[in-house]
Amino acid sequence: MAKIKTVFVCQQCGYQSAKWLGRCPDCDNWNTLTEETQVAQDQRPLRQFSTPEPPQSLLDVEACDEIRQPTRIKELDRILGGGIVSGSVVLVGGEPGIGKSTLLLQTSRALASSSRTVLYVSGEESLRQTKLRATRLGEIPKDLYIVSETNVDLIAQYIKKFSPAMVVIDSIQVMYNPLLTSSPGSVSQVRECSGLLTSLAKASNIPVFLVGHVTKEGFLAGPRVLEHMVDTVLYFEGQRHTSFRILRAVKNRFGSTNEIGVFQMTGLGLAEVTNPSQLFLSERPKKATGSVVVPCIEGTRPLLLEIQALVSRSSLVMPRRWCSGLDYNRIALLIAVLEKRVGLSLSSQDIFVNVVGGVKIQEPAIDLGIAVAIASSLKEVPVEQEDIILGEIGLSAEVRAVTRPEPRILEAQRLGFKRCIIAKNNLKELKVKGPIELIGVETVSQALEAALKK
Ligand code: TYD
Ligand code: MG
């Protein structure tokens, strides 16, 4: 009898080693290797669902546009690039309780209401629990099928039998393949199960949605493994104790990335927020220091957000620096520029910077807004209520042009903003007509002067 072989597999990236290691040499994470039994190659489950085809010239390959099924949830359709693409595999990740199951149940309901069969595989919750949730969301269509199952072989059989218009696997971490001895949720199982479901999706042209949990550190369990296999990765952001939920496309083979959809959790499930800028600014205080509105672009859509900074005298030897929704190192850099080039005295101040609404923003176009917010709080001079601020900051405190200024300014104009402080270099090619006044600046000092007039 063949000896049973065991290997140590990194639960983060799937790296395999013959002996245990404290640190994964591939992804540098500590304590991520666990022992798993390896299955001999000939016992591996058969992944192929279609007959193999020999290579052919790319010229001869028949291509048509992707067939997309709109879900009628507009925010989701936009993130997906116009609807669910046939045969695509979409991973929906997020913290527990953020709304993954709710969103997918709503999507299933929407598709099933236009008399297309949907198969919802609930591995975590019982049928009764899911029924209770679905009842809260509204009338249940008869074409919505549900099964409580975690054996991926059986699920594959059900998919072939029903050939539904869409399949939801909730969640991939509880699925297992009986041929593997490792426990559900381990990298081998996650990889095997998603591999099986992916090839089934491609062969049968049925779109599959996978729910993936996020570990404490904010990673999808087995992240790299999963992200490479699927076509689209959607991530739920936002704090659980607020009602906003932001769904972001991190990877999309069929649409643009960084597209976001904004939802609000209500008693009747997730409601779409069609005018997010207005919502994010609705609680903005009047005449408050340290509050600045910046127009960012997420994917294809401009979004106005409020940045708040609080600068207060520190009692610590090492003053505190804290930010939420922003890149910490970027804030440190901006503080250094303000200190060294603009001459603000910040070294003995605690500085806190926050993006209102739980949105995460990375783009450099908001640099100037952050700098003005910090200066406004330090000097205790509020920024005019109807100003927006737009510009990237370089290390010599110069203000650089931002990409796609027009849609940002138009969105601000639509919401009634009257003045825009912007990089002078942007003004040349800008073709915005209308009441909004554009103030071009070349340095951070000029911007502070324009924004913080008493
Ligand atoms: P859920 O979709 O179960 O989260 P996940 O699948 O990501 O773990 O979301 C559950 C949360 O949403 C729970 O805290 C209750 C809340 N909720 C509502 O507020 N309204 C609703 O209509 C539903 C269905 C859930
Ligand atoms: Mg769930």
Side-chain angles (χ1 to χ4, degrees), residues 95-102 125 133 136-137 265-269:
E95 284 173 34
I98 197 137
K100 302 179 294 294
S101 307
T102 308
E125 290 174 55
R133 184 201 302 261
R136 283 170 68 184
L137 299 176
M265 187 59 98
T266 67
L268 301 170

Side-chain angles (χ1 to χ4, degrees), residues 256-446:
S256 79
T257 48
N258 261 340
E259 194 75 68
I260 66 168
V262 185
F263 296 92
Q264 195 164 16
M265 187 59 98
T266 67
L268 301 170
L270 287 163
E272 296 171 55
V273 174
T274 40
N275 200 343
S277 298
Q278 201 161 34
L279 190 74
F280 287 137
L281 297 181
S282 62
E283 287 180 66
R284 187 170 176 224
K286 287 209 162 62
K287 292 269 162 219
T289 59
S291 156
V292 165
V293 175
V294 292
C296 356
I297 293 230
E298 290 295 334
T300 55
R301 177 167 66 172
L303 192 62
L304 294 192
L305 291 170
E306 180 191 350
I307 290 185
Q308 293 186 327
L310 182 68
V311 178
S312 93
R313 182 142 211 96
S314 181
S315 55
L316 304 169
V317 183
M318 286 268 288
R320 255 201 278 188
R321 304 280 137 100
W322 176 91
C323 68
S324 147
L326 298 160
D327 178 15
Y328 183 85
N329 291 323
R330 194 84 199 163
I331 302 290
L333 185 148
L334 294 175
I335 293 172
V337 169
L338 285 173
E339 178 112 40
K340 173 107 182 164
R341 307 276 185 193
V342 187
L344 300 187
S345 164
L346 293 164
S347 56
S348 56
Q349 308 280 349
D350 286 334
I351 301 177
F352 307 92
V353 189
N354 177 37
V355 182
V356 176
V359 191
K360 292 198 183 95
I361 19 176
Q362 291 277 342
E363 61 162 356
I366 59 167
D367 285 354
L368 192 58
I370 299 172
V372 171
I374 293 175
S376 153
S377 178
L378 178 76
K379 299 184 172 182
E380 307 234 351
V381 180
V383 175
E384 204 50 57
Q385 198 75 12
E386 278 138 6
D387 281 4
I388 56 159
I389 293 172
L390 191 54
E392 181 182 341
I393 296 181
L395 290 188
S396 332
E398 79 277 20
V399 176
R400 295 165 172 264
V402 302
T403 52
R404 298 169 62 201
E406 272 110 359
R408 305 177 197 253
I409 294 174
L410 289 177
E411 171 80 355
Q413 194 159 284
R414 192 175 69 78
L415 289 171
F417 285 85
K418 303 250 160 62
R419 247 172 35 136
C420 174
I421 296 176
I422 186 170
K424 207 165 206 167
N425 281 339
N426 267 132
L427 289 184
K428 283 179 226 147
E429 84 267 41
L430 207 62
K431 291 184 214 69
V432 177
K433 284 194 208 75
I436 197 159
E437 183 192 349
L438 301 172
I439 301 170
V441 291
E442 282 174 319
T443 63
V444 177
S445 306
Q446 286 176 9

Side-chain angles (χ1 to χ4, degrees), residues 246-263:
I246 291 143
L247 192 64
R248 184 188 294 272
V250 183
K251 160 181 177 182
N252 195 353
R253 288 191 183 140
F254 306 108
S256 79
T257 48
N258 261 340
E259 194 75 68
I260 66 168
V262 185
F263 296 92

Side-chain angles (χ1 to χ4, degrees), residues 51-57:
T51 45
E53 280 178 37
Q56 52 181 316
S57 162

Side-chain angles (χ1 to χ4, degrees), residues 41-296:
Q41 208 57 39
D42 54 348
Q43 287 182 18
R44 286 229 155 185
L46 205 59
R47 283 247 193 107
Q48 206 73 36
F49 287 94
S50 53
T51 45
E53 280 178 37
Q56 52 181 316
S57 162
L58 189 55
L59 267 179
D60 303 335
V61 175
E62 274 180 51
C64 45
D65 276 348
E66 297 108 21
I67 305 161
R68 291 181 191 263
Q69 312 179 58
T71 61
R72 290 195 290 167
I73 301 175
K74 281 205 203 81
E75 292 288 293
L76 182 64
D77 281 345
R78 212 195 42 253
I79 308 175
L80 291 172
I84 306 172
V85 177
S86 303
S88 67
V89 181
V90 181
L91 175 68
V92 180
E95 284 173 34
I98 197 137
K100 302 179 294 294
S101 307
T102 308
L103 177 74
L104 290 179
L105 199 57
Q106 277 178 269
T107 314
S108 310
R109 230 181 61 90
L111 269 198
S113 318
S114 41
S115 53
R116 275 171 289 183
T117 315
V118 175
L119 181 62
Y120 190 100
V121 183
S122 171
E124 293 184 351
E125 290 174 55
S126 67
L127 297 184
R128 274 193 53 230
Q129 276 172 309
T130 313
K131 168 93 190 223
L132 282 177
R133 184 201 302 261
T135 319
R136 283 170 68 184
L137 299 176
E139 202 190 318
I140 303 175
K142 73 171 193 338
D143 289 315
L144 178 51
Y145 285 80
I146 177 160
V147 58
S148 183
E149 182 55 68
T150 53
N151 181 340
V152 64
D153 269 344
L154 288 177
I155 294 170
Q157 283 175 29
Y158 297 143
I159 295 176
K160 280 186 258 180
K161 185 166 156 218
F162 278 76
S163 62
M166 170 180 142
V167 179
V168 176
I169 307 288
D170 189 0
S171 69
I172 190 69
Q173 270 105 352
V174 298
M175 296 297 147
Y176 75 99
N177 189 322
L179 284 180
L180 301 185
T181 46
S182 49
S183 55
S186 66
V187 169
S188 328
Q189 285 286 11
V190 168
R191 182 165 46 196
E192 207 58 50
C193 295
S194 15
L196 189 92
L197 291 164
T198 308
S199 49
L200 182 56
K202 302 289 167 214
S204 59
N205 257 335
I206 298 170
V208 175
F209 280 75
L210 306 175
V211 172
H213 288 296
V214 163
T215 57
K216 269 208 299 296
E217 292 80 29
F219 293 116
L220 284 164
R224 309 240 169 88
V225 183
L226 267 177
E227 285 182 6
H228 289 310
M229 284 177 149
V230 300
D231 298 307
T232 303
V233 180
L234 307 181
Y235 238 111
F236 257 115
E237 289 172 5
Q239 290 126 355
R240 214 149 49 118
H241 42 265
T242 66
S243 60
F244 297 127
R245 299 285 187 271
I246 291 143
L247 192 64
R248 184 188 294 272
V250 183
K251 160 181 177 182
N252 195 353
R253 288 191 183 140
F254 306 108
S256 79
T257 48
N258 261 340
E259 194 75 68
I260 66 168
V262 185
F263 296 92
Q264 195 164 16
M265 187 59 98
T266 67
L268 301 170
L270 287 163
E272 296 171 55
V273 174
T274 40
N275 200 343
S277 298
Q278 201 161 34
L279 190 74
F280 287 137
L281 297 181
S282 62
E283 287 180 66
R284 187 170 176 224
K286 287 209 162 62
K287 292 269 162 219
T289 59
S291 156
V292 165
V293 175
V294 292
C296 356

